[in-house]
Amino acid sequence: MAGALTADGVGPEAPVKCGRCPRLVAYRRDNEAKEPTWFNGAVPSFGDPKARLLIVGLAPGRNGANRTGRPFTGDYAGDLLYATLLAYGFARGNYQARSDDGLKLVDCMITNAVRCVPPENKPEPKEIATCRPFFQSRLGHLPRMEIMLALGRIAHDQVLTTLGKRKALFPFAHGARHEIEPGRVLFDSFHCSRYNTNTGRLTPAMFEAVFEDIRRALD
């Protein structure tokens, strides 16, 4: 799959002003009117093109990646994610919650199942499917990828559907490890959102345990 485009010629990153999903376009225009200095577009993947680890999120947050233009940057989810990546050697530098902070990812890339911010952080099934060609192409442009980490069920399902796998064979569960095909492993974690951490559904220790397993698998 290395270097592959999808059948319709889609590359790994959506156009910044992608027009494929009418509801998301309308929401983008509403955000542009309210916050014209924000990124307000399809957020590109971020990280190492030779990464062995691909982290798959849900979609950009309105006040986070939709504002800054970098996945998980500018909101609480990014605070937890990037601190953990730094702790486990998947990033270097200082995370300062802005896209020009100089942070670099090491052997790691971050992308989203849906590239544009959805209202209330809830993409519709049709929008997830419409964005799938970009995700498929992203996988095809990571020739060394061995491990994917899905942050939440939607990311988990996007991975399996893109790869043509039966979801019933690989049920989502925090901390789960799925050998989905030779040389390719899918790990699951609850999403590192403020809601999940505030309610105790996900603790920093639980999140770190997943990265312990990933680090061990790669090393």
Side-chain angles (χ1 to χ4, degrees), residues 2-156:
L5 299 178
T6 59
D8 57 357
V10 167
E13 307 303 336
V16 172
K17 301 302 181 183
C18 184
R20 291 189 169 209
C21 299
R23 188 180 75 114
L24 302 189
V25 172
Y27 188 53
R28 176 200 302 149
R29 289 173 178 163
D30 181 59
N31 284 320
E32 286 174 334
K34 294 175 181 176
E35 302 289 351
T37 63
W38 288 8
F39 181 78
N40 291 316
V43 175
S45 308
F46 168 56
D48 183 353
K50 297 181 179 179
R52 292 182 296 163
L53 170 63
L54 177 66
I55 298 172
V56 185
L58 167 58
R62 180 185 181 275
N63 301 320
N66 179 65
R67 175 172 59 85
T68 64
R70 192 175 74 182
F72 288 90
T73 299
D75 54 20
Y76 177 79
D79 293 345
L80 178 55
L81 176 60
Y82 285 113
T84 307
L85 292 177
L86 285 162
Y88 285 89
F90 291 112
R92 63 172 179 265
N94 294 302
Y95 173 69
Q96 298 177 23
R98 63 176 198 269
S99 59
D100 61 352
D101 57 12
L103 186 78
K104 303 293 184 183
L105 298 190
V106 180
D107 205 15
C108 174
M109 179 174 281
I110 304 172
T111 194
N112 278 310
V114 175
R115 303 298 178 86
C116 295
V117 59
E120 300 179 349
N121 293 321
K122 295 179 180 178
E124 294 179 346
K126 184 178 180 180
E127 292 160 352
I128 298 169
T130 298
C131 210
R132 187 166 298 132
F134 298 110
F135 182 71
Q136 180 182 5
S137 185
R138 178 72 275 164
L139 297 184
H141 283 78
L142 291 172
R144 298 183 68 238
M145 184 184 66
E146 300 175 14
I147 292 176
M148 288 173 282
L149 169 60
L151 300 179
R153 185 180 298 275
I154 289 177
H156 169 93

Side-chain angles (χ1 to χ4, degrees), residues 154-166:
I154 289 177
H156 169 93
D157 288 351
Q158 183 77 306
V159 169
L160 295 179
T161 301
T162 300
L163 295 177
K165 306 299 180 181
R166 289 180 56 197

